[in-house]
Amino acid sequence: MLTPAPAGRRADLAPREKEVLLAWLLHDNKDDVARELEISTTTVRTHLQRIRDKYAAAGRPATTKAALVARAIQDGLIDVNDL
């Protein structure tokens, strides 16, 4: 069972990064995310890389989409029922 991350170990994601992360978790590809958020696919990739970098800096690496799902659940950004 996953436990919430201690407050000091959370990645400090900006509101837009959270928005991109949640959209990415609910879509099959970055192009769909880009269309929904009206940004370029390159911008989606940039946000996701920054999110991964922030998780790595917090000592909680998330190199795969599955790991990003786990981090989002741990941080209370999404519930497993939302997926």
Side-chain angles (χ1 to χ4, degrees), residues 18-29 33 36-37:
K18 290 177 188 176
E19 182 179 22
V20 170
L21 175 59
L22 295 177
W24 170 232
L25 299 179
L26 298 174
H27 287 80
D28 291 331
N29 60 63
V33 174
E36 179 181 314
L37 299 179

Side-chain angles (χ1 to χ4, degrees), residues 6-7 13 17 19-21 26 38 44 57 61 66 69 75-76 79:
L13 302 183
E17 289 171 335
E19 182 179 22
V20 170
L21 175 59
L26 298 174
E38 298 180 350
V44 172
V69 169
D75 291 350
D79 185 87

Side-chain angles (χ1 to χ4, degrees), residues 7 11 16 18 31-33 36 45 48 72:
R16 186 62 163 177
K18 290 177 188 176
D31 292 331
D32 290 344
V33 174
E36 179 181 314
R45 276 192 223 103
L48 291 172

Side-chain angles (χ1 to χ4, degrees), residues 3 11 32 36 41-42 46 53 60 67 74 78:
T3 57
D32 290 344
E36 179 181 314
T41 304
T42 301
T46 299
D53 291 345
R60 300 170 60 217
Q74 290 168 336
I78 195 169

Side-chain angles (χ1 to χ4, degrees), residues 46-80:
T46 299
H47 279 298
L48 291 172
Q49 187 55 55
R50 288 181 181 158
I51 291 164
R52 286 185 172 105
D53 291 345
K54 286 181 177 185
Y55 275 117
R60 300 170 60 217
T63 59
T64 65
K65 189 171 188 177
L68 286 173
V69 169
R71 299 297 173 256
I73 291 170
Q74 290 168 336
D75 291 350
L77 300 175
I78 195 169
D79 185 87
V80 71

